[in-house]
Amino acid sequence: MRVLEFASSNCADASNLHEFMRHPHPMLGGESPIVCAVSSKAGADRVMNMLGRAAHSGGV
């Protein structure tokens, strides 16, 4: 899954990544990133966008 590959390459702490991917996030309408990412290509794109913003700006 491209989202997990992208997330793993941009997150040094696997434990934090696991926590982030499994918990609901307000920027995803209360869905967890993993649920959003597997629901559709658009959902995966939303999660990748959010991860990219976090990697380059330090937070989402």
Side-chain angles (χ1 to χ4, degrees):
M1 170 185 261
R2 69 186 176 102
V3 172
L4 291 178
E5 290 173 11
F6 181 80
S8 295
S9 69
N10 287 289
C11 183
D13 187 337
S15 177
N16 283 345
L17 175 60
H18 181 75
E19 177 101 6
F20 171 78
M21 292 299 287
R22 299 195 70 193
H23 284 80
H25 196 284
M27 289 179 67
L28 299 172
E31 288 186 333
S32 68
I34 194 67
V35 168
C36 190
V38 300
S39 67
S40 66
K41 181 182 180 319
D45 290 344
R46 287 174 57 202
V47 174
M48 297 254 317
N49 182 303
M50 191 170 74
L51 290 169
R53 287 176 29 197
H56 297 289
S57 69
V60 287

